[in-house]
Amino acid sequence: MQYIEIERQDKIGVIYLNSPHNRNALSSGLLAEMSDALDAFAAEERIVTVIANKAVSNVWSAGHDINELESDGIDPLHYANSLENILRKIETYPGVVIAAIHGSVWGGACDLAITCDMIIADDTATFAITPAKLGIAYNTWGVLHFINKLPLNIAKEMFFTAEPISAERALRVGLINHFIRHENFRAKVEEICQTIVSRAPLSIRLFKEQFRTLTNAATISPEDFERLQELRRRVYRSDDYKEGINSFFEKRKPNFKGK
Ligand code: YXS
């Protein structure tokens, strides 16, 4: 594999993000390999899958691969986007998916981490959701992930400021399950995995599906859905979105004009 490494330990599967040249950016190539690994672990009935990064990197993932963000008037986060596909695959995985976070987490990778069933982070971890930095029209399903996981004011602060929050604060606000000093991190992840492996797998798979179905039960009218889509369309067709993308590659601050 070119972008990830995988390990198998009895009923546990481990996916290591391993694309250091672009800080584990969630490229379609990396996401395709992650998707195949999740399919293989599900077929092998691995009741726990861990998504981690090699400790050598101080970035868990830099988020969606910005090179692959469409900016020609097409929705960059449409339903069939490879990141959206992997989020749905994590949500429907027949077992527990744990994000083991060492280093910083950015943008769509933050959505991926909170879509996992649990997050265990060490003292180097930070979390940022960054569409406002790039002028991106985040998708409505993605916003719902943060509403389901966080107090509304915290979710709003993260989206409006696009600033990272520390692991300590992430624990206080309930974004992560455990905040572990780096030296004890691997042992804690292993301990939690082994506890889950020791429980009844059929019950675990039932709970996973019950949580997913009930969590996604938010209803909005078709008219409201279309209205939000139109608001998103105005953003992803804006000059600001193009400015956000260009500023990243030109390594300069964006100059947003609100149009
Ligand atoms: O210049 P080279 O070729 O060496 O490449 C650089 C970066 O361009 C590349 N890289 C990325 N490439 C594609 N997509 C990315 N998201 C991305 N991030 C980084 O990796 C090489 C090393 O980057 P550099 O020099 O900045 O590394 P660093 O260690 O100084 O800083 C690490 C980061 C992660 C703090 C920094 O790279 C960074 O701020 N990256 C962008 C984080 C971000 O804003 N991600 C959001 C992506 S868009 C997304 O996820 C959603 C759609 S949304 O924004 O809506 O949430």
Side-chain angles (χ1 to χ4, degrees):
M1 292 180 165
Q2 193 178 342
Y3 302 98
I4 67 172
E5 285 180 17
I6 59 174
E7 268 180 21
R8 292 172 164 90
Q9 301 153 10
D10 49 81
K11 302 301 280 177
I12 301 165
V14 186
I15 296 170
Y16 288 105
L17 306 177
N18 190 28
S19 178
H21 76 283
N22 64 358
R23 304 300 185 266
N24 294 334
L26 301 176
S27 62
S28 48
L30 184 148
L31 293 167
E33 291 183 0
M34 188 186 287
S35 182
D36 291 347
L38 286 167
D39 287 345
F41 291 164
E44 296 156 11
E45 296 192 341
R46 294 181 187 281
I47 196 64
V48 179
T49 286
V50 178
I51 302 177
N53 66 319
K54 290 286 181 188
V56 295
S57 158
N58 64 357
V59 178
W60 191 76
S61 170
H64 199 294
D65 186 329
I66 298 176
N67 298 286
E68 296 182 1
L69 281 173
E70 289 156 291
S71 56
D72 49 359
I74 306 284
D75 182 350
L77 294 173
H78 52 75
Y79 185 84
N81 169 291
S82 48
L83 173 59
E84 301 307 308
N85 284 336
I86 209 75
L87 298 183
R88 286 191 292 273
K89 187 156 281 193
I90 288 169
E91 274 204 332
T92 56
Y93 181 83
V96 181
V97 183
I98 296 176
I101 310 278
H102 168 82
S104 57
V105 183
W106 301 87
C110 193
D111 197 349
L112 190 152
I114 68 167
T115 300
C116 291
D117 299 295
M118 295 166 63
I119 301 178
I120 304 168
D122 74 8
D123 39 13
T124 67
T126 62
F127 301 85
I129 179 68
T130 50
K133 266 173 69 175
L134 295 171
I136 287 175
Y138 212 66
N139 62 341
T140 305
W141 186 55
V143 172
L144 181 61
H145 294 156
F146 287 82
I147 292 172
N148 285 339
K149 189 72 86 171
L150 286 168
L152 195 54
N153 55 315
I154 303 295
K156 286 181 179 180
E157 179 186 343
M158 288 187 74
F159 269 86
F160 294 154
T161 66
E163 283 296 308
I165 66 169
S166 67
E168 296 93 330
R169 185 170 185 216
L171 182 70
R172 274 201 312 277
V173 299
L175 180 65
I176 65 176
N177 296 70
H178 296 278
F179 164 50
I180 306 293
R181 292 284 165 217
H182 182 60
E183 56 274 15
N184 306 321
F185 180 66
R186 201 174 167 85
K188 183 65 177 178
V189 173
E190 178 70 19
E191 174 201 323
I192 290 174
C193 289
Q194 291 302 340
T195 301
I196 296 170
V197 165
S198 73
R199 305 303 188 212
L202 293 180
S203 300
I204 300 273
R205 292 197 181 101
L206 165 68
F207 304 151
K208 172 79 182 246
E209 191 52 18
Q210 285 171 320
F211 280 119
R212 183 182 75 86
T213 305
L214 294 169
T215 305
N216 286 346
T219 53
I220 61 172
S221 70
E223 193 266 342
D224 276 345
F225 175 76
E226 292 302 337
R227 181 173 54 79
L228 292 180
Q229 283 299 89
E230 178 50 34
L231 291 177
R232 292 189 61 241
R233 204 168 290 122
R234 287 181 206 162
V235 174
Y236 66 71
R237 288 181 175 171
S238 68
D239 295 341
D240 272 2
Y241 174 42
K242 291 185 178 61
E243 165 62 9
I245 300 291
N246 293 338
S247 67
F248 174 78
F249 288 116
E250 294 161 14
K251 299 187 191 290
R252 61 175 172 79
K253 279 190 176 306
N255 177 20
F256 294 128
K257 296 199 170 66
K259 55 180 182 173

